[in-house]
């Protein structure tokens, strides 16, 4: 039994204690990583961000942090306060950079690009109408860092509301 704990006891040159404290530090780091995971620091917990303009309210529900290789969903809700003839969602680069865009429901009437940003066009909305768009993504494993995950609601090219937010991608 004493052989089992021989390396724990301090040797005359003090090297036994260094090994003990190294192991304790490594186990503590692993426990800290697990605790941070439980607190959703690295996870997919969603949060909601909203912006209201005179013509419409734009609400985005999406995670602020994701990990490489995971699937996640973003939900965009538009509530028209007055008629919006040509509703367009203009996505910041972070929505598609290093992401696999798996699906969008309902599908947009058309897709385009404006200054490098993806533009999704939908049918007109009357005052009081509500449009909910679900988008599913997969994070590329090599995509690490912080990206702009903002979105703008336009009527053709006229901005109506803008949500500013970021998404952080962990390895």
């Amino acid at each position: 039994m004493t052989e089992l704990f021989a390396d724990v006891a301090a040797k005359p040159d003090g090297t036994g204690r260094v090994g003990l404290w190294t192991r304790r530090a490594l186990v503590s780091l692993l426990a800290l990583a697990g605790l941070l995971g439980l607190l959703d620091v690295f996870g997919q917990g969603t949060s909601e961000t909203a912006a209201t303009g005179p013509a419409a309210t734009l609400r985005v529900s999406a995670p602020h942090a994701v990990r490489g290789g995971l699937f996640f969903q973003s939900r965009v809700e538009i509530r028209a306060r007055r008629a919006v003839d040509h509703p367009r969602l203009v996505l910041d680069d972070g929505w598609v950079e290093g992401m696999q865009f798996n699906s969008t429901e309902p599908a947009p009437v058309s897709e385009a690009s404006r200054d490098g940003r993806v533009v999704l066009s939908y049918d007109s909305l009357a005052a009081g109408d509500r449009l909910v768009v679900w988008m599913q993504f997969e994070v590329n494993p090599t995509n690490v860092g912080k990206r702009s995950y903002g979105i703008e609601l336009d009527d053709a090219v006229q901005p109506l509301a803008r949500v500013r937010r970021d998404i952080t991608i962990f390895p």
Side-chain angles (χ1 to χ4, degrees):
M1 187 70 139
T2 54
E3 291 174 17
L4 258 168
F5 298 102
D7 66 331
V8 174
K11 295 178 183 167
D13 62 357
T15 57
R17 292 277 181 221
V18 172
L20 174 66
W21 286 106
T22 302
R23 285 192 302 275
R24 286 180 179 169
L26 289 174
V27 169
S28 295
L29 283 174
L30 287 173
L32 178 63
L35 178 64
L36 291 174
L38 286 173
L39 295 174
D40 198 32
V41 172
F42 311 115
Q44 287 180 235
T46 60
S47 65
E48 191 172 279
T49 311
T52 301
T57 298
L58 176 64
R59 198 175 304 277
V60 177
S61 179
H64 276 290
V66 293
R67 294 180 304 274
L70 291 181
F71 293 92
F72 72 96
Q73 174 178 282
S74 295
R75 181 178 177 272
V76 178
E77 179 182 341
I78 301 166
R79 191 166 298 270
R81 300 173 80 184
R82 67 163 172 79
V84 181
D85 295 326
H86 306 285
R88 297 200 172 121
L89 292 174
V90 184
L91 310 177
D92 283 357
D93 294 341
W95 285 78
V96 291
E97 184 179 333
M99 306 273 194
Q100 298 298 320
F101 203 129
N102 293 336
S103 68
T104 304
E105 294 300 328
V109 173
S110 69
E111 296 179 24
S113 177
R114 183 187 308 159
D115 296 324
R117 297 167 64 195
V118 174
V119 179
L120 306 175
S121 300
Y122 289 92
D123 291 329
S124 64
L125 300 171
D129 281 355
R130 178 174 166 247
L131 171 65
V132 179
V133 179
W134 290 271
M135 295 178 244
Q136 288 76 31
F137 299 90
E138 180 181 3
V139 183
N140 289 349
T142 57
N143 180 20
V144 177
K146 187 176 246 185
R147 309 268 188 274
S148 175
Y149 207 67
I151 187 169
E152 182 177 284
L153 171 63
D154 292 355
D155 189 352
V157 294
Q158 177 66 39
L160 302 178
R162 176 157 179 72
V163 169
R164 297 181 195 285
R165 59 184 292 152
D166 293 321
I167 189 166
T168 302
I169 299 104
F170 294 105

